[in-house]
Amino acid sequence: MFSTTTINKIKPDSILKNFWRDNARFADLFNTALFGGIPFLCPDDLCEADTDVSTLLKFNGHAETIQKVFDVVKKTANGVDFVIWGLENQSKTHYAMPLRHMIEDAFSYLKEYNEVVSKNRKDNDFSSSDEFLSGFKKSDRLHPVISLCIYYGEDPWDGPLCLMDMLDVPEILKPLLTNHKMNLIQVRDSEALNFQHPDVAAVFDISRSIYKEDYDKIRSYYNTQNPDFSAEIGMVIGAITESKQLIDYALELEHDGGELNMCKALDKLINEGRQEGLQEGRQEGLQMGRQEGRQEGLLKGSILTYQKLNVSKEDTCKNIMEDFSLSKEDATEYVEKYW
């Protein structure tokens, strides 16, 4: 079995990112949340896009590098050259989220604008001095950026939903301002979303029931309909509901080659919950005792876990860079060593 120390080194955010990188799940999420179930996005048309929208801002002689990375980004063609679809995972209410989304979208546009300008200046085929001044030709167009935020918190989202919600502005000025709406869905309030992908439907349904402590519903439905899930689904639900025990349990089953029976898992968690304080104390003590001198063992365990979950080498490298605060060079070396 994996040690608890190794298991807990895998961050919930990494689990969620890996889950949504699957094209079929990603497409079902956006189709259901934004298009009312219409299959606008086709999984086969989606491809990975760069999540890093960091940029260099220059203004009045001042320059500053601003870093921002989306959780998951896909690119697809839909009647135009392509559309960028950005996904952000959020476990806590962020009271500046619309502003953050506006900046992320703006950075995406700015990044593409800079790429277009760089190409135009290299080709030097401007047709007017106005085009040369901006570096952007009259016929040039940027591509749409559409972002979605999933809020996993147990408490209702009580933050703003658009930029206007963040402003203290007189009514007479509102028509003069440009608003920025944020696309947000809440796991706890997702009953009306009819997901088609079984993994996505199960993750939302079970997580929502756990928040409501409606364990009888989970037992009555999943005992008869679909009692067994992959270990990955258990890990995702554990990440959403912040249950380390469920993540540990799912990984142990995955390591042993078994499937996760959600009803049995819930019974196990409820029983374990009665001694949660004692267990957490033991786990923390064990983790502290093994921390020093075990870095490489933890790295190996995490790499093998990501490999078993069919995560690519590239994504595994990114994950352990984040999980262990490694440089890209060191992370690549460890992945090549233990893959």
Side-chain angles (χ1 to χ4, degrees):
M1 284 189 178
F2 292 110
S3 72
T4 303
T5 311
T6 302
I7 293 170
N8 285 340
K9 259 297 182 182
I10 300 177
K11 295 182 179 179
D13 190 50
S14 297
I15 295 172
L16 294 170
K17 287 178 184 179
N18 289 327
F19 180 78
W20 292 119
R21 284 193 180 110
D22 179 85
N23 283 351
R25 296 167 181 161
F26 189 95
D28 186 45
L29 174 69
F30 274 76
N31 287 336
T32 304
L34 301 184
F35 299 105
I38 298 172
F40 182 76
L41 286 184
C42 176
D44 293 338
D45 294 336
L46 290 169
C47 62
E48 292 284 337
D50 190 5
T51 59
D52 191 345
V53 293
S54 302
T55 190
L56 176 66
L57 293 181
K58 299 179 181 178
F59 185 73
N60 288 345
H62 174 73
E64 183 175 352
T65 299
I66 300 180
Q67 294 184 325
K68 179 58 192 166
V69 179
F70 276 109
D71 288 330
V72 183
V73 177
K74 300 285 185 178
K75 182 168 68 173
T76 185
N78 281 294
V80 292
D81 288 342
F82 60 83
V83 177
I84 298 295
W85 307 88
L87 176 64
E88 181 138 9
N89 298 309
Q90 191 67 25
S91 60
K92 305 294 182 184
T93 299
H94 194 301
Y95 294 105
M97 203 67 184
L99 176 61
R100 199 166 103 177
H101 268 236
M102 183 178 72
I103 292 172
E104 290 168 353
D105 292 348
F107 279 7
S108 296
Y109 287 122
L110 181 60
K111 180 179 181 180
E112 185 183 7
Y113 166 77
N114 288 334
E115 291 170 351
V116 172
V117 169
S118 178
K119 181 180 183 303
N120 286 345
R121 296 207 184 282
K122 181 179 180 181
D123 296 340
N124 195 27
D125 61 348
F126 300 107
S127 60
S128 69
S129 60
D130 292 337
E131 288 187 347
F132 178 80
L133 180 64
S134 64
F136 201 73
K137 295 188 289 187
K138 185 177 180 179
S139 59
D140 285 335
R141 294 293 183 272
L142 300 177
H143 297 95
V145 177
I146 299 173
S147 54
L148 173 65
C149 177
I150 308 179
Y151 171 59
Y152 300 101
E154 184 173 0
D155 296 324
W157 178 274
D158 62 352
L161 297 174
C162 64
L163 182 64
M164 200 69 74
D165 292 341
M166 296 179 60
L167 302 181
D168 184 9
V169 57
E171 284 294 327
I172 194 172
L173 296 183
K174 287 184 178 180
L176 305 178
L177 296 170
T178 300
N179 198 9
H180 186 87
K181 181 177 72 72
M182 176 180 66
N183 295 312
L184 174 79
I185 59 173
Q186 303 185 58
V187 172
R188 71 177 305 280
D189 187 26
S190 56
E191 290 91 344
L193 297 176
N194 186 23
F195 295 105
Q196 300 301 307
H197 195 289
D199 291 351
V200 178
V203 162
F204 272 78
D205 185 45
I206 295 174
S207 298
R208 191 170 59 242
S209 296
I210 290 176
Y211 282 154
K212 294 180 178 179
E213 298 184 356
D214 191 357
Y215 303 122
D216 289 338
K217 175 187 174 183
I218 298 175
R219 291 190 183 96
S220 62
Y221 181 79
Y222 288 99
N223 256 335
T224 57
Q225 298 295 323
N226 187 11
D228 296 322
F229 298 94
S230 67
E232 182 187 15
I233 301 302
M235 289 175 62
V236 171
I237 295 171
I240 291 173
T241 58
E242 299 183 344
S243 171
K244 292 181 180 180
Q245 293 97 329
L246 184 53
I247 295 175
D248 289 1
Y249 183 50
L251 274 174
E252 289 172 4
L253 286 176
E254 196 279 337
H255 181 256
D256 295 337
E259 292 184 314
L260 178 71
N261 184 290
M262 186 52 64
C263 301
K264 293 180 180 178
L266 281 176
D267 288 338
K268 180 180 178 69
L269 291 178
I270 291 171
N271 290 332
E272 289 179 349
R274 294 173 184 146
Q275 302 180 35
E276 187 174 304
L278 177 59
Q279 287 180 341
E280 287 185 358
R282 288 173 178 171
Q283 289 174 2
E284 289 175 5
L286 180 62
Q287 188 169 354
M288 292 175 61
R290 295 179 176 178
Q291 188 172 3
E292 295 184 2
R294 292 293 304 276
Q295 178 82 347
E296 190 154 337
L298 295 175
L299 275 163
K300 180 179 179 180
S302 293
I303 291 168
L304 293 176
T305 298
Y306 286 124
Q307 184 184 41
K308 288 178 178 292
L309 292 174
N310 295 319
V311 179
S312 67
K313 278 188 175 181
E314 181 181 357
D315 287 338
T316 297
C317 185
K318 291 179 182 178
N319 289 336
I320 67 169
M321 284 174 63
E322 180 181 346
D323 294 344
F324 293 89
S325 301
L326 297 174
S327 67
K328 184 175 182 180
E329 181 180 343
D330 288 342
T332 301
E333 182 178 340
Y334 279 119
V335 169
E336 292 300 327
K337 182 176 181 180
Y338 294 117
W339 193 263

